[in-house]
Amino acid sequence: MLFIGNSLTYTNDLPGMFMAVAQQAGRTDVRAAGVAFADFALEDHWAEGTARASLAKNRWEYVVMQQGSSALAASQSTLRTWSQQFHPPIRAAGATPVLFMVWPTVDRTFDFPAVRESYTNAAVAIDGLFAPAGDAWVAYGNLNALYSADGLHPTAAGTYLAAIVLLERLTGIRVELLPATIPGSAIAPNDVRALQRAARTALDRNPARPRAVPQ
């Protein structure tokens, strides 16, 4: 898997967490790499070129894309436009595109439905997969445990929740069959099980290949 994103991806090393959780399930064959820079949107990645070079030089199975919350109308349009721009080189690399729904800042939690709409519509536009990590945050409910002190970046629990949503959507490994531990973290087993239940809820109510925004 190739992750293309920003600090929401590289904080706590989401690609590394993805691989570590896969290994918990016995999948030692899962590999993930990331191209992520601070404050980057997909448009910035296109201009900077590293992500495009990786797509041109390597074969991938999935390419996971994210930018900011993209809740406002203009940023929704930008997310769709640049997802569509990346679509041909992703397919040429042998990969399926994945839209990784993130989350708004803590002072704009009312934007969660718009973030879901934005990332869903971008997935629809390119017939890609939709990974509802941000919706799993909503399902979990205790957002204080998921946001770090800056009100934007994830805690280890927030990164884990994103990782297991992506893991099931891309590999089929059921989140409820994972152990009640987070690699590299001392979070209590009961809390890990609650995170897994939130992932299950979000995955069940958001189809992998949406045709319209779920209601």
Side-chain angles (χ1 to χ4, degrees):
M1 291 78 174
L2 176 65
F3 287 76
I4 299 174
N6 54 34
S7 57
L8 300 183
T9 284
Y10 69 65
T11 296
N12 303 317
D13 185 13
L14 176 58
M17 179 73 79
F18 183 91
M19 288 191 293
V21 178
Q23 289 168 4
Q24 286 184 316
R27 287 290 302 275
T28 58
D29 60 320
V30 172
R31 296 289 182 269
V35 178
F37 303 109
D39 300 322
F40 261 43
L42 294 181
E43 180 177 7
D44 301 311
H45 276 291
W46 187 267
E48 190 275 339
T50 301
R52 284 193 289 140
S54 185
L55 291 171
K57 293 177 183 177
N58 302 290
R59 298 288 290 178
W60 302 98
E61 188 173 358
Y62 297 101
V63 175
V64 179
M65 297 183 285
Q66 62 86 199
Q67 55 182 34
S69 66
S70 306
L72 300 179
S75 55
Q76 288 196 31
S77 176
T78 298
L79 178 63
R80 287 194 306 275
T81 296
W82 290 96
S83 296
Q84 290 171 316
Q85 190 76 13
F86 268 103
H87 182 224
I90 288 172
R91 296 292 187 183
T96 298
V98 182
L99 272 295
F100 159 31
M101 177 195 169
V102 292
W103 42 87
T105 54
V106 73
D107 60 331
R108 294 187 63 88
T109 55
F110 56 84
D111 274 338
F112 267 107
V115 179
R116 180 169 172 246
E117 176 182 20
S118 183
Y119 278 81
T120 299
N121 285 339
V124 170
I126 59 174
D127 191 26
L129 298 179
F130 175 60
D135 196 43
W137 281 39
V138 173
Y140 185 65
N142 180 14
L143 294 176
N144 288 333
L146 305 179
Y147 282 106
S148 65
D150 67 5
L152 170 61
H153 294 99
T155 61
T159 297
Y160 174 78
L161 187 48
I164 63 175
V165 167
L166 284 157
L167 187 69
E168 177 167 331
R169 187 120 291 178
L170 303 188
T171 71
I173 297 170
R174 301 278 294 184
V175 295
E176 60 268 22
L177 299 181
L178 294 169
T181 58
I182 296 178
S185 173
I187 294 173
N190 286 345
D191 294 329
V192 178
R193 291 299 186 207
L195 292 165
Q196 292 168 355
R197 289 193 295 272
R200 171 85 280 125
T201 297
L203 288 160
D204 286 348
R205 70 188 180 193
N206 291 278
R209 291 189 182 274
R211 298 302 173 189
V213 178
Q215 300 300 315

